[in-house]
Structures are given as C-alpha cells and as structure tokens.
C-alpha cells in the first residue's frame, strides 16, 4: 500500500457530476486523440483509472484498455459503465501492482502522480510503468507545473479557482515539497459549503525526467497541453512522453 489517500464512496459517487465539464467531448477529445495515436495497434494501461473518465471513451475509440485503481468505490462506479470483459480493472496501487501482458502505452493523467506522497513511491511508479511497457512503448503523464511563481514572499497559499459554486486554493510546504488543495464547494442553494482537502507531492518536470531515467525510460516529447502547444516557462502544466528503448 502506498501513501495515496483512499477515495471514499461518497467522493466516488459525486465524482462524475463534479467532473462533467472535464468529461465533455470538447475537453477530452484532444487527450483521447493524443493517447490513441501513441497506443497505435497495441494495448493501453491507465494508472489510477478512477471512474473511467478517460479509459472508457478511449476504449470506445478502439484501443484495448486495462486499468489499475486503488479505490474500490471509484472502480465500482466505472463497473456500472463497462464490464470486466470490456475494460478489466485491477484493484491496487499504481506504484507496485502488476497486471498481465504487455502494453504499448501506459498513461497517468490529471495530476494523479502527485497522489503518491513520497519521492520513492513516484520513482516506483515510473518503474512500474516501464515494467508493463513493451520495447518502444510510451509512458505519458499529465501534471501541473508547481505554482510557486505565484507565491509572494512570506505567503503559502495560491488560489486556483474562485467561482460561484467553488472556492479552491493550494497551500504549499516548499521544504517537504508538499501541496494541500483546499476546496469549498456549494452543493445547494442554501449558502452552505462543503469543505474538503487533499494532499499531493509536487514534482518539477526535470525531477520526473530523472525518475524516468532511473526506470530506463527516455524523454521523447513534452508539450503544454493535449493539442501539442509548445511547453514554455509560462506553461501551467505539461504532457510528458517517455519512451522505453526498443
């Protein structure tokens, strides 16, 4: 078991509704096209597949997809949408769990590698990806660039969403390289907000490249979004692709 915080049934049951915008064709389309091209005629493995937000539509594009998921409640929501024969899911953590067969693509999206709260576990995640990849296969990560440029001296909090129904901000511990996301979400119209938070270990792109090298993978490409925009010093996130040598 890794240090990842376990998603509860209550969180799993409301996840799809809260992520409806990020599950739309407009948002997912470029990601699915990007991943399908890398998978080619092979199989894809999604680490932390969750409720199938990405894995199910990728399977519908014709890519055979399997998943690893730590939270049984999240996997149960996925199972309402796709059976085991259509999309097999193994319950376990993404740093150590092994599933049968080889894959041309392993992917880990939506900042989820940061759910592993130690550097050692993040390195193990890269090693696990390499373990599953066929020669020439790719490992893809989508991850925010740590928002430290937005921290004035002496401050530890950075807002990332201020909208009608949601207030979100991150607090940062730069010594431990830890980030806590705080969410205040208005569920109804009575003015009450539901509070939640989650812990994450942030990592810079260069640190991930070293993790990849330890796992025997080579950086092939890094872009700013699923559309392939150039990654620059002003990019808020990155899509990175590492290749297992043939």
């Amino acid at each position: 078991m890794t240090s990842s915080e376990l998603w509860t049934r209550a969180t799993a049951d409301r996840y799809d509704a809260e992520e409806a915008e990020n599950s739309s064709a407009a948002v997912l389309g470029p990601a699915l096209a990007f991943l399908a091209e890398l998978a080619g005629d092979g199989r894809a493995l999604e680490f932390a597949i969750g409720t199938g937000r990405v894995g199910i539509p990728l399977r519908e594009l014709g890519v055979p997809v399997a998943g690893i998921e730590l939270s049984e409640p999240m996997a149960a929501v996925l199972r309402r949408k796709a059976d085991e024969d259509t999309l097999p899911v193994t319950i376990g953590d993404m740093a150590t769990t092994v599933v049968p067969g080889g894959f041309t693509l392993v992917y880990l999206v939506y900042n989820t590698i940061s759910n592993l709260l130690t550097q050692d576990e993040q390195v193990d995640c890269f090693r696990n990806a390499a373990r599953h990849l066929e020669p020439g296969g790719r490992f893809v990560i989508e991850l925010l660039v740590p928002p430290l440029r937005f921290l004035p001296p002496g401050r530890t909090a950075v807002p990332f969403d201020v909208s009608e129904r949601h207030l979100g901000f991150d607090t940062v511990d730069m010594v431990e390289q830890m980030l806590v996301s705080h969410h205040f979400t208005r569920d109804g119209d009575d003015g009450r907000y539901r509070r939640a938070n989650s812990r994450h270990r942030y990592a810079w792109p260069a640190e991930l490249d070293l993790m990849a090298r330890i796992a025997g993978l080579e950086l092939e490409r890094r872009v700013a979004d699923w559309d392939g925009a150039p990654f620059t010093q002003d990019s808020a996130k990155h899509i990175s692709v590492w290749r297992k040598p043939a």
Side-chain angles (χ1 to χ4, degrees), residues 143 145-149 177 202-209 238:
L143 185 61
V145 175
L148 304 191
R149 292 176 64 188
Q177 229 168 288
Y202 65 81
W204 298 97
E207 185 181 2
L208 298 180
D209 290 341
H238 61 97

Side-chain angles (χ1 to χ4, degrees), residues 2 19 21 29-30 32 47 59 61 64 88 105 109 133 142 148 151 167-168 177 180 186-187 190 193 226 233:
T2 65
E19 295 297 332
E21 182 178 350
L32 296 174
F47 283 177
R59 178 66 182 87
L61 287 179
L105 173 67
V109 298
L133 286 172
E142 175 189 24
L148 304 191
L151 277 176
L167 301 175
Q177 229 168 288
V180 180
R186 191 168 71 182
D187 286 330
D190 59 0
Y193 282 77
W226 294 109
Q233 64 179 2

Side-chain angles (χ1 to χ4, degrees), residues 113-133:
I113 193 170
S114 69
N115 290 357
L116 297 170
L117 301 181
T118 71
Q119 186 182 66
D120 285 345
E121 289 173 350
Q122 291 178 353
V123 170
D124 285 341
C125 182
F126 272 83
R127 285 176 167 149
N128 201 29
R131 182 182 298 122
H132 285 91
L133 286 172

Side-chain angles (χ1 to χ4, degrees), residues 157-219:
V158 180
F160 60 84
D161 184 32
V162 180
S163 57
E164 182 180 355
R165 306 197 72 87
H166 179 254
L167 301 175
F169 63 92
D170 294 328
T171 53
V172 181
D173 181 338
M174 287 183 283
V175 174
E176 298 296 331
Q177 229 168 288
M178 295 294 295
L179 178 152
V180 180
S181 288
H182 304 264
H183 302 268
F184 294 83
T185 306
R186 191 168 71 182
D187 286 330
D189 296 323
D190 59 0
R192 296 184 181 182
Y193 282 77
R194 170 172 45 84
R195 180 177 181 177
N197 60 66
S198 58
R199 295 184 300 153
H200 307 269
R201 182 186 186 273
Y202 65 81
W204 298 97
E207 185 181 2
L208 298 180
D209 290 341
L210 184 55
M211 294 181 189
R213 186 182 301 179
I214 291 171
L217 305 175
E218 302 170 348
L219 180 66

Side-chain angles (χ1 to χ4, degrees), residues 33-158:
F34 191 108
L35 296 171
E37 181 179 3
L38 289 179
D41 296 328
R43 302 167 66 215
L45 174 62
E46 181 171 357
F47 283 177
I49 194 168
T51 66
R53 183 182 70 91
V54 176
I56 289 175
L58 185 61
R59 178 66 182 87
E60 291 170 350
L61 287 179
V63 178
V65 177
I68 294 173
E69 174 55 44
L70 181 61
S71 169
E72 292 191 44
M74 292 287 279
V77 175
L78 180 153
R79 193 54 69 223
R80 299 171 198 161
K81 303 179 246 181
D83 61 28
E84 180 70 16
D85 291 336
T86 301
L87 204 165
V89 175
T90 301
I91 301 299
D93 70 83
M94 57 189 167
T96 63
T97 301
V98 178
V99 302
F103 298 84
T104 57
L105 173 67
V106 177
Y107 64 96
L108 178 54
V109 298
Y110 213 28
N111 307 313
T112 311
I113 193 170
S114 69
N115 290 357
L116 297 170
L117 301 181
T118 71
Q119 186 182 66
D120 285 345
E121 289 173 350
Q122 291 178 353
V123 170
D124 285 341
C125 182
F126 272 83
R127 285 176 167 149
N128 201 29
R131 182 182 298 122
H132 285 91
L133 286 172
E134 297 175 347
R138 275 89 169 191
F139 182 34
V140 176
I141 282 181
E142 175 189 24
L143 185 61
L144 290 175
V145 175
L148 304 191
R149 292 176 64 188
F150 299 102
L151 277 176
R155 301 291 181 88
T156 60
V158 180

